[in-house]
Amino acid sequence: MQIAFVNSTHKWGGVKTWTLDVALALKKYTKTNCIILGRKGPFLDKAQELSLRTYEIKFGPDYNPITIAKFITIFKKENIHYVIVNVGKDMRTAGVAAKILGIPVIHRVGLPGDMKNKIDVRLMHKWIKPKILVPCEYIKQGLLKNLPFLQSNEIKVILTGKEPSPTPPQKVHTPLQFISTSQLNPDKGHKDILFALCKLKQQGYDFHYHIVGTGKSEQELKQLASQLQLNDKITWHGFQKNVRNLLKKADVFILASYSEGLPNSLLEAMAEGLIPVARNVGGVKEISPSHTFLWEEENLFLSILEDLLNTQEYKLLKLKKEIWSFFQKKFNLLQKSLELNDILYKINSKK
């Protein structure tokens, strides 16, 4: 089986991470040949580091005949059986090429608002007839609500998988180590975390907070941390290629986003056995074990952190191991990749 993954977006997002994870898993476990097509930059660089074959594409405007012709040439050369796209531009270039060649298209949608109820979207969907793939039920229901032309049976849900750490957590750090790995943008809620940590410090609690990532709010957050006298409690790691290594050094993962689909960052943390403390948004509840700490009210968030800081070490370690075990059983990358593999074969059998 030959699959082409196409992504024209400029920024690194969850779908790009999913693409590389799934392509590697399919290559490893099912001997599927996966190629990655996208713009020059970190996405293709990372794919090449992982020994995935890549094609650099200059997309140009929508329906660009030169780009469509290039996709047709590549798809023929690689004998592609399926094309998996992400955003509208992918559909209006690679999707058109696939339709001309009679190749099934799968549209992997990361958020309910990624598809708009516009005439060109409706016509393109009607013509290409892609299967839509989403990472959680929350996104499926959002699409059905916002896009009345979609049918439920057109949308398949495969919860995102990750490769779990090969061994369960072996320790709890002293002091307790918190971590967040979201982009430093206003919608990710880092300010709420800093205000809560300030109160904890004033109450005499000992802890350390690792902030991984960059973004629009970075300087503002650093100034706020200084004003709140948290500099001795925070390490700013910036952009990191290997986030999993940093997660291994932490105990509690904090996700304070005001909106999410199914956050890759939370899945990566649970794959390492970190205790998840997350705002109850989007599809978070769908991947949460019973011992996940979800909050909606800010005072509850502070209370959760206080309880964890007051919990005995052996109980925290037991909790970390339970989360790792839950993730290994429910969200193993191998299991989720095989689910995608099965869906692809079913699509092919109906052609």
Side-chain angles (χ1 to χ4, degrees):
M1 184 162 64
Q2 321 288 332
I3 302 176
F5 290 89
V6 181
N7 194 306
S8 64
T9 59
H10 292 274
K11 295 181 179 180
W12 194 290
V15 176
K16 285 184 173 177
T17 301
W18 173 86
T19 296
L20 298 183
D21 285 347
V22 168
L24 276 179
L26 289 173
K27 178 182 176 182
K28 178 178 179 181
Y29 297 117
T30 69
K31 308 303 181 185
T32 297
N33 178 38
C34 297
I35 63 171
I36 311 296
L37 302 98
R39 300 181 190 274
K40 181 180 180 180
F43 179 51
L44 292 191
D45 293 343
K46 184 62 177 180
Q48 291 166 4
E49 285 179 25
L50 297 171
S51 299
L52 293 167
R53 294 179 55 241
T54 65
Y55 284 88
E56 180 187 337
I57 303 293
K58 295 180 180 178
F59 285 84
D62 291 351
Y63 309 108
N64 183 353
I66 297 174
T67 306
I68 293 169
K70 183 169 185 177
F71 277 119
I72 289 174
T73 300
I74 294 171
F75 294 163
K76 282 183 175 180
K77 176 185 174 183
E78 297 288 348
N79 190 28
I80 295 299
H81 297 111
Y82 305 95
V83 173
I84 300 180
V85 302
N86 175 204
V87 295
K89 183 173 286 293
D90 308 343
M91 185 74 75
R92 293 185 282 271
T93 50
V96 172
K99 177 65 177 180
I100 292 170
L101 295 173
I103 301 172
V105 176
I106 295 89
H107 187 181
R108 210 286 189 165
V109 181
L111 288 169
D114 285 353
M115 287 181 69
K116 307 297 183 183
N117 189 13
K118 301 190 299 182
I119 184 65
D120 62 328
V121 174
R122 295 195 296 270
L123 291 175
M124 184 61 59
H125 181 82
K126 184 177 181 179
W127 181 52
I128 294 181
K129 296 182 173 62
K131 283 291 183 183
I132 296 176
L133 181 65
V134 296
C136 63
E137 188 67 28
Y138 163 78
I139 295 175
K140 176 177 180 176
Q141 294 307 315
L143 289 176
L144 290 173
K145 179 180 178 181
N146 297 334
L147 307 171
F149 61 89
L150 291 181
Q151 302 296 317
S152 180
N153 61 3
E154 294 180 84
I155 308 174
K156 300 294 183 182
V157 177
I158 299 181
L159 293 167
T160 303
K162 293 287 179 184
E163 195 76 53
S165 177
T167 57
Q170 300 299 315
K171 63 179 292 186
V172 171
H173 300 83
T174 303
L176 203 64
Q177 303 289 302
F178 301 138
I179 190 169
S180 295
T181 60
S182 304
Q183 292 180 348
L184 305 187
N185 293 332
D187 63 315
K188 297 302 181 180
H190 289 87
K191 281 186 178 181
D192 296 338
I193 301 174
L194 295 180
F195 284 123
L197 295 183
C198 176
K199 292 178 181 178
L200 292 173
K201 181 179 179 181
Q202 291 172 350
Q203 294 171 28
Y205 287 106
D206 194 14
F207 56 86
H208 198 81
Y209 181 39
H210 300 268
I211 300 179
V212 183
T214 59
K216 301 174 183 176
S217 302
E218 183 171 354
Q219 292 307 312
E220 181 185 0
L221 290 170
K222 286 181 176 179
Q223 290 174 4
L224 178 61
S226 180
Q227 293 169 7
L228 297 175
Q229 299 183 356
L230 287 172
N231 287 340
D232 61 325
K233 297 292 187 183
I234 295 176
T235 299
W236 303 84
H237 294 276
F239 174 78
Q240 295 289 321
K241 284 188 175 181
N242 194 337
V243 172
R244 296 287 288 264
N245 280 345
L246 285 172
L247 290 170
K248 293 178 189 296
K249 300 176 182 179
D251 305 293
V252 177
F253 182 82
I254 303 176
L255 181 79
S257 302
Y258 297 114
S259 64
E260 287 284 355
L262 193 73
N264 266 287
S265 58
L266 180 59
L267 288 161
E268 287 177 338
M270 291 170 62
E272 294 293 340
L274 270 65
I275 300 168
V277 178
R279 199 187 301 270
N280 188 13
V281 294
V284 167
K285 187 177 288 186
E286 294 179 50
I287 60 170
S288 301
S290 58
H291 25 255
T292 299
F293 298 93
L294 301 180
W295 91 87
E296 294 176 6
E297 303 294 334
E298 297 309 320
N299 59 347
L300 178 57
F301 171 47
L302 179 63
S303 177
I304 289 169
L305 295 183
E306 287 177 337
D307 288 346
L308 289 171
L309 287 164
N310 287 323
T311 300
Q312 294 173 295
E313 184 176 313
Y314 82 93
K315 290 183 178 179
L316 291 174
L317 182 57
K318 180 175 181 289
L319 184 55
K320 290 178 69 175
K321 289 182 176 181
E322 287 174 351
I323 290 162
W324 176 85
S325 179
F326 170 84
F327 187 90
Q328 186 182 50
K329 292 175 182 176
K330 299 290 186 181
F331 301 101
N332 193 301
L333 180 60
L334 168 58
Q335 174 191 348
K336 298 303 173 186
S337 298
L338 292 178
E339 286 181 28
L340 174 60
N341 194 62
D342 289 344
I343 285 176
L344 295 178
Y345 272 113
K346 288 177 182 176
I347 292 172
N348 190 54
S349 66
K350 294 177 180 178
K351 284 177 61 179

